[in-house]
Amino acid sequence: MGEAKRRGSQAERAEQARAKLAALRPAQLVCGACKTAFGTFDAIDAPNLRGIDAVFGGQCPNCGNDVLVFKGEPNAVADAMVAWEKMMGADTKLGYQSRDGKHVPFEGE
Ligand SMILES: [Zn+2]
């Protein structure tokens, strides 16, 4: 107490960002094409997506599709999925993370 603490150095901020990302990370992604669940995937840097807290992506070990999951405000997630689909084409299987932390594949139709 009484000692002024300098908070938010660059290293601390990076550490906080990592911790936040780790907390957001789902246990697994689910392939929208073949429903295979897998746990090997990466956090994707997507700073330009408003309302999106995190994006995770990996390749389905069963069918090879790229699987991408967005975490954030529901409306922002919907917008991001549409934008991403336009940008990346239909080969990427998109999804979002439900409130209980489960990955929900997005079924386009
Ligand atoms: Zn698959």
Side-chain angles (χ1 to χ4, degrees):
M1 294 294 196
E3 189 176 324
K5 266 189 182 173
R6 279 174 188 271
R7 296 200 54 200
S9 74
Q10 191 136 6
E12 281 168 359
R13 275 203 299 272
E15 184 55 43
Q16 281 167 5
R18 264 196 299 276
K20 186 185 165 202
L21 213 52
L24 290 169
R25 187 184 170 96
Q28 56 189 19
L29 299 190
V30 180
C31 175
C34 69
K35 313 300 179 204
T36 297
F38 58 100
T40 305
F41 55 88
D42 295 312
I44 292 173
D45 202 19
N48 295 326
L49 295 174
R50 197 180 288 182
I52 298 294
D53 294 326
V55 183
F56 299 96
Q59 193 176 42
C60 174
N62 186 48
C63 72
N65 271 305
D66 290 324
V67 179
L68 205 63
V69 59
F70 296 93
K71 172 87 176 166
E73 294 294 319
N75 287 342
V77 168
D79 288 348
M81 286 200 287
V82 170
W84 199 282
E85 212 161 35
K86 273 188 193 148
M87 198 164 66
M88 302 297 281
D91 285 347
T92 303
K93 300 300 170 192
L94 302 171
Y96 63 92
Q97 210 183 137
S98 64
R99 276 183 197 179
D100 57 1
K102 290 214 178 81
H103 171 211
V104 181
F106 174 66
E107 318 248 9
E109 187 68 11

XYZ file of all heavy atoms in Angstrom:
807
model
N 0.831 -1.189 0.000
C 0.000 0.000 0.000
C 0.870 1.246 0.000
O 1.960 1.274 0.542
C -0.869 0.036 1.258
C -1.906 -1.078 1.312
S -3.158 -0.922 0.022
C -4.406 -2.011 0.656
N 0.361 2.311 -0.589
C 1.072 3.559 -0.594
C 2.103 3.666 -1.698
O 2.558 4.749 -1.994
N 2.433 2.581 -2.286
C 3.436 2.625 -3.347
C 2.735 2.694 -4.700
O 1.905 1.865 -5.020
C 4.294 1.362 -3.270
C 5.491 1.430 -4.195
C 6.357 0.204 -4.023
O 6.471 -0.282 -2.874
O 6.895 -0.269 -5.029
N 3.078 3.741 -5.431
C 2.439 3.906 -6.736
C 2.898 2.800 -7.672
O 4.085 2.590 -7.860
C 2.799 5.279 -7.308
N 1.944 2.128 -8.209
C 2.290 1.048 -9.118
C 2.131 1.486 -10.562
O 1.104 2.027 -10.937
C 1.371 -0.151 -8.866
C 1.950 -1.166 -7.896
C 1.076 -2.397 -7.891
C 1.596 -3.423 -6.892
N 0.670 -4.533 -6.765
N 3.165 1.236 -11.316
C 3.038 1.502 -12.746
C 2.425 0.263 -13.385
O 3.009 -0.811 -13.373
C 4.414 1.752 -13.368
C 4.893 3.147 -13.142
C 6.317 3.270 -13.663
N 6.876 4.559 -13.277
C 6.751 5.658 -14.043
N 6.124 5.597 -15.178
N 7.278 6.792 -13.649
N 1.267 0.460 -13.929
C 0.615 -0.677 -14.543
C 0.626 -0.532 -16.058
O 0.698 0.564 -16.593
C -0.825 -0.796 -14.053
C -0.870 -1.064 -12.572
C -2.195 -1.636 -12.197
N -2.515 -2.817 -12.988
C -3.742 -3.292 -13.150
N -4.741 -2.687 -12.608
N -3.952 -4.376 -13.845
N 0.525 -1.619 -16.714
C 0.330 -1.583 -18.151
C 1.585 -1.376 -18.955
O 1.552 -0.718 -19.986
N 2.722 -1.891 -18.485
C 3.892 -1.881 -19.350
C 3.589 -2.775 -20.550
O 2.644 -3.550 -20.551
C 5.110 -2.411 -18.610
O 5.021 -3.809 -18.472
N 4.412 -2.664 -21.537
C 4.158 -3.430 -22.757
C 4.135 -4.925 -22.487
O 3.259 -5.638 -22.956
C 5.248 -3.109 -23.783
C 4.905 -3.647 -25.160
C 5.199 -2.623 -26.236
O 5.751 -1.567 -25.950
N 4.830 -2.906 -27.450
N 5.067 -5.382 -21.683
C 5.121 -6.814 -21.371
C 3.887 -7.245 -20.595
O 3.321 -8.308 -20.835
C 6.378 -7.121 -20.569
N 3.470 -6.389 -19.673
C 2.276 -6.727 -18.894
C 1.040 -6.759 -19.770
O 0.188 -7.628 -19.614
C 2.087 -5.713 -17.757
C 3.000 -5.972 -16.579
C 3.014 -4.798 -15.615
O 2.330 -3.793 -15.886
O 3.714 -4.884 -14.603
N 0.970 -5.805 -20.681
C -0.189 -5.788 -21.571
C -0.220 -7.022 -22.461
O -1.266 -7.601 -22.705
C -0.193 -4.522 -22.420
C -0.847 -3.361 -21.703
C -1.355 -2.331 -22.684
N -0.284 -1.774 -23.494
C 0.437 -0.725 -23.129
N 0.196 -0.130 -22.002
N 1.384 -0.273 -23.900
N 0.944 -7.412 -22.938
C 1.020 -8.603 -23.779
C 0.600 -9.837 -22.983
O -0.101 -10.703 -23.484
C 2.439 -8.776 -24.313
N 1.042 -9.865 -21.741
C 0.689 -10.990 -20.882
C -0.817 -11.015 -20.620
O -1.456 -12.068 -20.648
C 1.464 -10.887 -19.563
C 1.244 -12.054 -18.615
C 1.544 -13.399 -19.272
O 2.568 -13.489 -19.990
O 0.751 -14.332 -19.086
N -1.397 -9.839 -20.398
C -2.842 -9.765 -20.187
C -3.603 -10.199 -21.426
O -4.625 -10.876 -21.336
C -3.238 -8.332 -19.810
C -2.964 -8.003 -18.346
C -3.058 -6.512 -18.073
O -3.410 -5.736 -18.947
N -2.742 -6.128 -16.856
N -3.094 -9.803 -22.587
C -3.752 -10.194 -23.839
C -3.705 -11.702 -24.007
O -4.675 -12.325 -24.422
C -3.068 -9.502 -25.022
N -2.555 -12.290 -23.659
C -2.436 -13.747 -23.758
C -3.399 -14.442 -22.810
O -4.032 -15.423 -23.161
C -0.998 -14.182 -23.455
C -0.148 -14.368 -24.699
C 1.094 -15.162 -24.378
N 1.943 -14.504 -23.404
C 2.840 -13.576 -23.704
N 3.011 -13.217 -24.958
N 3.576 -13.026 -22.768
N -3.497 -13.904 -21.582
C -4.367 -14.514 -20.584
C -5.828 -14.412 -21.018
O -6.598 -15.358 -20.863
C -4.164 -13.839 -19.233
N -6.170 -13.263 -21.583
C -7.537 -13.064 -22.059
C -7.863 -14.049 -23.172
O -8.919 -14.667 -23.206
C -7.686 -11.629 -22.559
C -9.096 -11.273 -22.947
C -9.135 -9.875 -23.555
C -10.461 -9.659 -24.288
N -10.374 -8.601 -25.278
N -6.907 -14.188 -24.068
C -7.088 -15.094 -25.196
C -7.205 -16.539 -24.713
O -8.034 -17.311 -25.196
C -5.895 -14.949 -26.143
C -6.176 -15.145 -27.631
C -7.325 -14.268 -28.103
C -4.926 -14.824 -28.425
N -6.381 -16.881 -23.751
C -6.423 -18.245 -23.222
C -7.770 -18.530 -22.574
O -8.305 -19.632 -22.658
C -5.291 -18.451 -22.213
N -8.341 -17.516 -21.921
C -9.634 -17.693 -21.271
C -10.749 -17.837 -22.304
O -11.749 -18.505 -22.050
C -9.919 -16.504 -20.357
N -10.567 -17.205 -23.448
C -11.599 -17.245 -24.484
C -11.506 -18.508 -25.332
O -12.458 -18.902 -25.984
C -11.445 -16.032 -25.412
C -11.796 -14.672 -24.812
C -11.343 -13.565 -25.755
C -13.284 -14.565 -24.578
N -10.334 -19.120 -25.311
C -10.077 -20.234 -26.214
C -11.001 -21.421 -25.923
O -11.086 -21.891 -24.797
C -8.622 -20.663 -26.038
C -8.161 -21.712 -27.023
C -6.731 -22.135 -26.678
N -6.359 -23.300 -27.453
C -5.670 -23.248 -28.597
N -5.269 -22.107 -29.053
N -5.394 -24.355 -29.263
N -11.714 -21.907 -26.934
C -12.558 -23.080 -26.713
C -11.702 -24.334 -26.581
O -10.556 -24.362 -27.012
C -13.421 -23.138 -27.979
C -12.628 -22.437 -29.028
C -11.772 -21.416 -28.316
N -12.276 -25.351 -25.939
C -11.527 -26.596 -25.767
C -11.263 -27.262 -27.113
O -10.232 -27.871 -27.329
C -12.294 -27.538 -24.852
N -12.215 -27.093 -28.005
C -12.039 -27.704 -29.314
C -12.885 -26.999 -30.355
O -13.847 -26.318 -30.024
C -12.402 -29.189 -29.256
C -13.813 -29.417 -28.743
C -14.098 -30.893 -28.488
O -13.181 -31.690 -28.356
N -15.353 -31.236 -28.434
N -12.493 -27.171 -31.592
C -13.313 -26.680 -32.693
C -14.056 -27.875 -33.290
O -13.621 -29.009 -33.158
C -12.430 -26.030 -33.772
C -11.604 -24.808 -33.362
C -11.000 -24.158 -34.616
C -12.407 -23.802 -32.597
N -15.166 -27.582 -33.921
C -15.931 -28.634 -34.576
C -16.043 -28.296 -36.053
O -16.492 -27.214 -36.421
C -17.337 -28.770 -33.955
C -18.124 -29.875 -34.652
C -17.234 -29.030 -32.467
N -15.629 -29.229 -36.886
C -15.685 -29.022 -38.334
C -17.137 -28.940 -38.779
O -17.938 -29.820 -38.467
C -14.969 -30.159 -39.045
S -15.108 -30.050 -40.839
N -17.483 -27.870 -39.507
C -18.855 -27.694 -39.974
C -19.222 -28.675 -41.079
O -20.394 -28.897 -41.351
N -18.221 -29.272 -41.704
C -18.503 -30.167 -42.817
C -18.716 -31.607 -42.345
O -19.654 -32.269 -42.751
C -17.367 -30.122 -43.829
N -17.851 -32.098 -41.472
C -17.918 -33.520 -41.106
C -18.112 -33.728 -39.615
O -18.153 -34.856 -39.144
C -16.661 -34.252 -41.588
S -15.173 -33.778 -40.684
N -18.262 -32.641 -38.854
C -18.553 -32.699 -37.416
C -17.420 -33.272 -36.569
O -17.620 -33.642 -35.419
C -19.832 -33.497 -37.121
C -21.013 -33.136 -37.986
C -21.394 -31.682 -37.828
C -22.581 -31.349 -38.730
N -22.650 -29.931 -39.049
N -16.243 -33.342 -37.135
C -15.105 -33.798 -36.348
C -14.665 -32.705 -35.371
O -14.529 -31.551 -35.760
C -13.925 -34.152 -37.281
O -14.322 -35.245 -38.110
C -12.691 -34.536 -36.479
N -14.477 -33.071 -34.106
C -13.964 -32.133 -33.117
C -12.458 -32.308 -33.008
O -11.954 -33.424 -33.008
C -14.631 -32.384 -31.772
N -11.743 -31.195 -32.922
C -10.294 -31.291 -32.813
C -9.755 -30.150 -31.973
O -10.390 -29.106 -31.848
C -9.634 -31.321 -34.197
C -9.940 -30.120 -35.055
C -9.022 -29.094 -35.155
C -11.136 -30.037 -35.752
C -9.294 -27.986 -35.948
C -11.414 -28.928 -36.534
C -10.493 -27.895 -36.635
N -8.619 -30.383 -31.365
C -8.094 -29.425 -30.402
C -6.828 -28.725 -30.836
O -6.251 -27.942 -30.085
N -6.391 -28.968 -32.055
C -5.175 -28.318 -32.539
C -5.536 -27.162 -33.454
O -5.931 -27.352 -34.592
C -4.299 -29.329 -33.314
O -4.055 -30.441 -32.470
C -2.976 -28.692 -33.710
N -5.438 -25.965 -32.892
C -5.777 -24.781 -33.675
C -5.105 -23.583 -33.041
O -4.580 -23.669 -31.936
C -7.289 -24.586 -33.754
C -7.958 -24.524 -32.411
C -8.085 -23.330 -31.738
C -8.428 -25.693 -31.819
C -8.695 -23.282 -30.492
C -9.040 -25.652 -30.576
C -9.169 -24.452 -29.910
N -5.128 -22.465 -33.759
C -4.420 -21.273 -33.306
C -5.355 -20.096 -33.141
O -6.399 -20.025 -33.772
C -3.352 -20.892 -34.330
C -2.279 -21.954 -34.433
O -1.790 -22.392 -33.387
O -1.956 -22.351 -35.567
N -4.951 -19.182 -32.304
C -5.630 -17.889 -32.234
C -5.210 -17.088 -33.457
O -4.051 -17.092 -33.840
C -5.242 -17.153 -30.961
N -6.169 -16.414 -34.063
C -5.899 -15.637 -35.263
C -6.047 -14.158 -34.940
O -7.005 -13.749 -34.293
C -6.870 -16.046 -36.391
C -6.541 -17.471 -36.824
C -6.791 -15.075 -37.563
C -7.534 -18.042 -37.794
N -5.077 -13.402 -35.410
C -5.091 -11.969 -35.159
C -6.115 -11.308 -36.080
O -5.985 -11.383 -37.294
C -3.683 -11.428 -35.428
C -3.456 -10.134 -34.702
O -4.199 -9.845 -33.740
O -2.530 -9.413 -35.071
N -7.139 -10.702 -35.505
C -8.157 -10.043 -36.331
C -8.581 -8.727 -35.689
O -9.705 -8.561 -35.260
C -9.355 -10.963 -36.517
N -7.651 -7.796 -35.615
C -7.896 -6.547 -34.880
C -8.928 -5.650 -35.555
O -9.447 -4.738 -34.942
C -6.524 -5.875 -34.853
C -5.809 -6.428 -36.031
C -6.327 -7.809 -36.244
N -9.220 -5.885 -36.822
C -10.121 -4.984 -37.538
C -11.585 -5.388 -37.448
O -12.440 -4.748 -38.020
C -9.715 -4.904 -39.008
C -8.349 -4.263 -39.159
O -7.985 -3.381 -38.395
N -7.585 -4.727 -40.117
N -11.851 -6.484 -36.748
C -13.226 -6.930 -36.633
C -13.852 -6.348 -35.378
O -13.540 -6.741 -34.260
C -13.270 -8.467 -36.597
C -12.795 -9.144 -37.879
C -12.745 -10.643 -37.695
C -13.710 -8.801 -39.045
N -14.755 -5.392 -35.567
C -15.370 -4.709 -34.442
C -16.313 -5.649 -33.691
O -17.108 -6.353 -34.300
C -16.141 -3.508 -34.971
C -16.478 -2.519 -33.877
C -17.236 -1.347 -34.447
N -16.375 -0.473 -35.253
C -16.816 0.639 -35.818
N -18.065 0.979 -35.690
N -16.011 1.393 -36.522
N -16.204 -5.641 -32.369
C -17.105 -6.453 -31.559
C -16.674 -7.898 -31.422
O -17.329 -8.688 -30.757
N -15.559 -8.247 -32.063
C -15.058 -9.614 -31.987
C -13.938 -9.673 -30.945
O -12.976 -8.921 -31.018
C -14.520 -10.076 -33.353
C -15.637 -10.072 -34.395
C -13.878 -11.455 -33.248
C -16.738 -11.071 -34.145
N -14.074 -10.574 -29.968
C -13.063 -10.689 -28.918
C -11.882 -11.548 -29.360
O -10.754 -11.292 -28.975
C -13.679 -11.321 -27.668
C -14.735 -10.412 -27.062
O -14.563 -9.181 -27.137
O -15.720 -10.927 -26.519
N -12.189 -12.570 -30.109
C -11.124 -13.479 -30.517
C -11.572 -14.297 -31.718
O -12.762 -14.504 -31.940
C -10.751 -14.414 -29.372
N -10.591 -14.741 -32.479
C -10.857 -15.624 -33.616
C -9.892 -16.791 -33.513
O -8.702 -16.599 -33.253
C -10.650 -14.900 -34.968
C -10.999 -15.820 -36.126
C -11.483 -13.629 -35.043
N -10.406 -17.990 -33.668
C -9.556 -19.171 -33.639
C -9.764 -19.953 -34.927
O -10.872 -20.022 -35.450
C -9.905 -20.057 -32.445
C -9.722 -19.369 -31.120
C -10.784 -18.768 -30.487
C -8.468 -19.302 -30.531
C -10.626 -18.107 -29.274
C -8.295 -18.643 -29.330
C -9.373 -18.050 -28.692
N -8.678 -20.531 -35.400
C -8.804 -21.280 -36.645
C -7.835 -22.438 -36.712
O -6.763 -22.413 -36.119
N -8.242 -23.471 -37.428
C -7.381 -24.627 -37.620
C -7.899 -25.452 -38.776
O -8.934 -25.133 -39.362
N -7.164 -26.502 -39.091
C -7.566 -27.350 -40.194
C -8.135 -28.656 -39.670
O -7.547 -29.302 -38.790
C -6.367 -27.623 -41.106
C -6.779 -28.245 -42.434
C -5.582 -28.420 -43.353
O -4.521 -28.827 -42.918
N -5.764 -28.112 -44.620
N -9.303 -29.036 -40.191
C -9.935 -30.284 -39.771
C -9.026 -31.458 -40.117
O -8.622 -31.609 -41.263
C -11.282 -30.437 -40.473
S -12.048 -32.034 -40.151
N -8.695 -32.296 -39.116
C -7.800 -33.422 -39.373
C -8.474 -34.522 -40.177
O -7.806 -35.406 -40.714
C -7.433 -33.912 -37.964
C -8.586 -33.475 -37.106
C -9.114 -32.204 -37.718
N -9.778 -34.468 -40.285
C -10.513 -35.514 -40.997
C -10.708 -35.189 -42.474
O -10.387 -35.988 -43.341
C -11.862 -35.756 -40.306
C -12.604 -36.948 -40.915
O -12.031 -38.012 -41.101
N -13.859 -36.751 -41.242
N -11.231 -34.004 -42.756
C -11.554 -33.667 -44.148
C -10.695 -32.545 -44.713
O -10.777 -32.253 -45.900
C -13.038 -33.327 -44.284
S -13.500 -31.736 -43.545
N -9.900 -31.892 -43.877
C -8.963 -30.896 -44.379
C -9.532 -29.511 -44.580
O -8.829 -28.616 -45.031
N -10.796 -29.321 -44.271
C -11.376 -27.979 -44.370
C -10.773 -27.053 -43.326
O -10.412 -27.486 -42.242
C -12.886 -28.044 -44.140
C -13.657 -28.277 -45.429
O -13.523 -27.533 -46.397
N -14.451 -29.321 -45.437
N -10.664 -25.782 -43.692
C -10.282 -24.778 -42.705
C -11.499 -24.478 -41.841
O -12.585 -24.255 -42.348
C -9.819 -23.499 -43.399
C -8.487 -23.705 -44.085
O -7.657 -24.443 -43.532
O -8.285 -23.158 -45.174
N -11.288 -24.474 -40.550
C -12.379 -24.208 -39.618
C -12.033 -22.952 -38.839
O -10.924 -22.801 -38.338
C -12.590 -25.391 -38.642
C -13.722 -25.084 -37.669
C -12.886 -26.661 -39.415
N -12.991 -22.061 -38.749
C -12.754 -20.777 -38.109
C -13.883 -20.506 -37.132
O -15.049 -20.696 -37.456
C -12.742 -19.699 -39.202
C -11.978 -18.426 -38.930
C -10.502 -18.719 -38.758
C -12.183 -17.470 -40.092
N -13.537 -20.079 -35.930
C -14.581 -19.774 -34.955
C -14.387 -18.355 -34.435
O -13.278 -17.926 -34.136
C -14.605 -20.821 -33.811
C -13.286 -20.874 -33.087
C -15.725 -20.516 -32.824
N -15.478 -17.620 -34.371
C -15.459 -16.245 -33.879
C -16.059 -16.195 -32.489
O -17.033 -16.868 -32.192
C -16.294 -15.332 -34.789
C -15.760 -15.226 -36.178
C -16.218 -16.068 -37.167
C -14.792 -14.302 -36.483
C -15.728 -15.980 -38.463
C -14.296 -14.202 -37.770
C -14.763 -15.045 -38.770
N -15.480 -15.344 -31.652
C -16.002 -15.163 -30.307
C -16.245 -13.680 -30.098
O -15.349 -12.865 -30.281
C -14.966 -15.688 -29.306
C -15.284 -15.393 -27.862
C -16.154 -16.465 -27.276
C -16.376 -16.186 -25.791
N -17.475 -16.994 -25.260
N -17.473 -13.315 -29.731
C -17.763 -11.910 -29.521
C -19.252 -11.671 -29.460
O -20.037 -12.575 -29.215
N -19.637 -10.421 -29.678
C -21.048 -10.059 -29.697
C -21.748 -10.814 -30.826
O -21.221 -10.889 -31.931
C -21.185 -8.553 -29.953
C -20.650 -7.690 -28.845
C -21.471 -7.861 -27.584
O -22.695 -7.941 -27.682
O -20.866 -7.931 -26.499
N -22.948 -11.335 -30.550
C -23.633 -12.147 -31.573
C -23.777 -11.440 -32.917
O -23.532 -12.038 -33.965
C -25.000 -12.423 -30.947
C -24.752 -12.356 -29.480
C -23.668 -11.326 -29.286
N -24.149 -10.163 -32.890
C -24.313 -9.437 -34.144
C -22.974 -9.257 -34.853
O -22.886 -9.360 -36.071
C -24.944 -8.062 -33.896
C -26.420 -8.183 -33.549
O -27.039 -9.219 -33.814
N -26.968 -7.159 -32.953
N -21.958 -8.984 -34.074
C -20.622 -8.809 -34.642
C -20.127 -10.118 -35.240
O -19.490 -10.147 -36.285
C -19.658 -8.318 -33.563
N -20.433 -11.221 -34.548
C -20.029 -12.534 -35.043
C -20.707 -12.817 -36.380
O -20.066 -13.280 -37.335
C -20.376 -13.636 -34.011
C -20.230 -15.022 -34.627
C -19.466 -13.503 -32.793
N -21.997 -12.510 -36.457
C -22.737 -12.746 -37.701
C -22.136 -11.919 -38.839
O -21.917 -12.428 -39.939
C -24.210 -12.402 -37.502
N -21.850 -10.636 -38.555
C -21.252 -9.772 -39.573
C -19.883 -10.281 -39.996
O -19.538 -10.296 -41.173
C -21.100 -8.341 -39.034
C -22.450 -7.632 -38.924
O -23.437 -8.161 -39.476
O -22.504 -6.581 -38.277
N -19.108 -10.708 -38.994
C -17.749 -11.162 -39.273
C -17.767 -12.423 -40.130
O -16.947 -12.587 -41.026
C -17.005 -11.420 -37.967
N -18.719 -13.298 -39.846
C -18.785 -14.542 -40.615
C -19.131 -14.266 -42.069
O -18.554 -14.853 -42.982
C -19.806 -15.501 -39.985
C -19.292 -16.113 -38.705
S -20.151 -17.632 -38.222
C -21.718 -16.987 -37.664
N -20.065 -13.327 -42.280
C -20.445 -12.971 -43.647
C -19.264 -12.323 -44.367
O -18.937 -12.660 -45.501
C -21.657 -12.012 -43.632
C -21.899 -11.444 -45.030
C -22.897 -12.754 -43.151
N -18.598 -11.400 -43.662
C -17.462 -10.701 -44.262
C -16.343 -11.676 -44.608
O -15.726 -11.617 -45.673
C -16.949 -9.630 -43.305
N -16.095 -12.604 -43.681
C -15.003 -13.560 -43.890
C -15.308 -14.484 -45.057
O -14.450 -14.830 -45.855
C -14.780 -14.367 -42.607
C -13.435 -15.012 -42.599
C -13.080 -16.145 -43.278
C -12.264 -14.563 -41.915
N -11.767 -16.426 -43.056
C -11.243 -15.475 -42.219
C -12.006 -13.497 -41.074
C -9.966 -15.340 -41.704
C -10.712 -13.369 -40.567
C -9.725 -14.279 -40.875
N -16.569 -14.891 -45.131
C -16.969 -15.789 -46.204
C -16.754 -15.123 -47.563
O -16.293 -15.740 -48.509
C -18.436 -16.172 -46.026
C -18.749 -17.575 -46.524
C -20.042 -18.089 -45.936
O -20.962 -17.278 -45.742
O -20.118 -19.294 -45.658
N -17.088 -13.832 -47.634
C -16.892 -13.089 -48.880
C -15.417 -13.017 -49.228
O -15.014 -13.114 -50.377
C -17.439 -11.666 -48.724
C -18.916 -11.577 -49.058
C -19.345 -10.110 -49.075
C -20.862 -10.006 -49.089
N -21.321 -8.813 -48.396
N -14.615 -12.807 -48.162
C -13.181 -12.599 -48.357
C -12.475 -13.910 -48.715
O -11.626 -13.954 -49.581
C -12.607 -12.021 -47.064
C -11.266 -11.357 -47.219
S -10.938 -10.320 -45.773
C -10.791 -11.540 -44.476
N -12.834 -14.972 -47.994
C -12.071 -16.211 -48.094
C -12.719 -17.245 -49.008
O -12.118 -18.244 -49.338
C -11.896 -16.830 -46.705
C -11.214 -15.915 -45.711
S -9.522 -15.500 -46.187
C -8.703 -17.022 -45.677
N -13.970 -17.034 -49.364
C -14.657 -18.026 -50.169
C -15.320 -19.072 -49.299
O -15.205 -19.066 -48.074
N -16.016 -19.979 -49.931
C -16.883 -20.922 -49.211
C -16.122 -22.116 -48.640
O -16.707 -22.949 -47.971
C -17.994 -21.402 -50.118
N -14.819 -22.201 -48.892
C -14.078 -23.372 -48.436
C -13.811 -23.356 -46.944
O -13.492 -24.383 -46.357
C -12.734 -23.473 -49.168
C -12.928 -23.953 -50.594
O -14.038 -24.433 -50.907
O -11.987 -23.837 -51.384
N -13.924 -22.188 -46.342
C -13.685 -22.101 -44.912
C -14.977 -22.382 -44.157
O -16.010 -21.798 -44.437
C -13.172 -20.705 -44.534
O -11.988 -20.440 -45.278
C -12.863 -20.629 -43.046
N -14.912 -23.309 -43.214
C -16.079 -23.634 -42.402
C -16.081 -22.748 -41.166
O -15.156 -22.788 -40.358
C -16.032 -25.113 -41.981
C -16.031 -26.072 -43.146
C -17.286 -25.903 -43.987
C -17.176 -26.698 -45.282
N -18.237 -26.345 -46.228
N -17.127 -21.949 -41.063
C -17.159 -20.966 -39.994
C -18.018 -21.434 -38.830
O -18.858 -22.308 -38.962
C -17.725 -19.649 -40.536
C -16.935 -19.071 -41.713
C -17.677 -17.898 -42.316
C -15.551 -18.652 -41.267
N -17.795 -20.810 -37.695
C -18.595 -21.138 -36.531
C -18.470 -20.038 -35.496
O -17.788 -19.043 -35.703
N -19.130 -20.220 -34.410
C -19.017 -19.254 -33.331
C -19.021 -19.998 -32.008
O -19.308 -21.192 -31.950
C -20.163 -18.239 -33.373
C -21.526 -18.836 -33.180
C -22.078 -18.916 -31.907
C -22.246 -19.330 -34.255
C -23.322 -19.483 -31.740
C -23.491 -19.893 -34.082
C -24.041 -19.969 -32.828
O -25.257 -20.531 -32.650
N -18.715 -19.259 -30.973
C -18.649 -19.897 -29.672
C -19.875 -19.525 -28.848
O -20.187 -18.356 -28.676
C -17.373 -19.465 -28.958
C -16.878 -20.534 -28.031
C -15.657 -20.091 -27.258
O -15.572 -20.330 -26.091
N -14.720 -19.443 -27.918
N -20.573 -20.521 -28.348
C -21.776 -20.262 -27.570
C -21.394 -19.779 -26.184
O -20.239 -19.766 -25.805
C -22.610 -21.532 -27.463
O -21.899 -22.509 -26.756
N -22.391 -19.346 -25.418
C -22.108 -18.772 -24.108
C -21.470 -19.755 -23.156
O -20.747 -19.365 -22.248
C -23.404 -18.259 -23.486
C -23.680 -16.861 -24.011
C -24.879 -16.262 -23.409
N -25.280 -15.124 -24.244
C -26.329 -14.376 -24.004
N -27.074 -14.629 -22.980
N -26.603 -13.390 -24.789
N -21.768 -21.040 -23.323
C -21.142 -22.019 -22.430
C -19.797 -22.482 -22.964
O -19.228 -23.455 -22.470
C -22.080 -23.199 -22.160
C -22.524 -23.878 -23.451
O -22.091 -23.437 -24.531
O -23.292 -24.844 -23.368
N -19.289 -21.763 -23.967
C -17.931 -22.038 -24.431
C -17.818 -23.121 -25.461
O -16.718 -23.507 -25.846
N -18.939 -23.622 -25.945
C -18.879 -24.655 -26.983
C -18.836 -24.024 -28.361
O -19.466 -23.011 -28.618
C -20.110 -25.558 -26.875
C -20.120 -26.434 -25.662
C -20.795 -27.774 -25.985
C -20.779 -28.690 -24.786
N -21.865 -28.368 -23.854
N -18.090 -24.669 -29.204
C -18.019 -24.197 -30.573
C -19.246 -24.700 -31.343
O -19.554 -25.870 -31.327
C -16.737 -24.710 -31.225
C -16.684 -24.450 -32.704
N -16.034 -25.273 -33.571
C -17.195 -23.440 -33.430
C -16.155 -24.788 -34.793
N -16.857 -23.675 -34.754
N -19.944 -23.763 -31.975
C -21.125 -24.123 -32.766
C -20.807 -23.889 -34.233
O -20.540 -22.764 -34.637
C -22.334 -23.256 -32.357
C -23.566 -23.650 -33.166
C -22.590 -23.382 -30.861
N -20.791 -24.945 -35.036
C -20.507 -24.742 -36.448
C -21.607 -23.935 -37.121
O -22.783 -24.097 -36.789
C -20.460 -26.157 -37.031
C -20.590 -27.095 -35.904
C -21.071 -26.340 -34.702
N -21.210 -23.101 -38.025
C -22.159 -22.286 -38.763
C -22.578 -23.044 -40.003
O -21.742 -23.407 -40.818
C -21.503 -20.958 -39.120
C -22.360 -20.086 -40.010
C -23.556 -19.560 -39.537
C -21.962 -19.789 -41.297
C -24.333 -18.748 -40.338
C -22.732 -18.981 -42.106
C -23.921 -18.460 -41.636
N -23.857 -23.291 -40.133
C -24.347 -24.024 -41.287
C -24.969 -23.050 -42.264
O -26.064 -22.566 -42.041
C -25.381 -25.064 -40.865
C -24.988 -25.809 -39.606
C -24.674 -27.257 -39.886
O -24.608 -27.629 -41.073
O -24.495 -28.000 -38.915
N -24.259 -22.763 -43.319
C -24.796 -21.847 -44.312
C -25.928 -22.513 -45.099
O -25.901 -23.699 -45.338
N -26.914 -21.731 -45.435
C -28.002 -22.256 -46.271
C -28.858 -21.095 -46.736
O -29.248 -20.294 -45.906
C -28.847 -23.267 -45.492
C -29.882 -23.965 -46.364
C -29.233 -24.889 -47.399
O -28.030 -25.147 -47.325
O -29.946 -25.319 -48.292
Zn -14.009 -31.970 -41.363
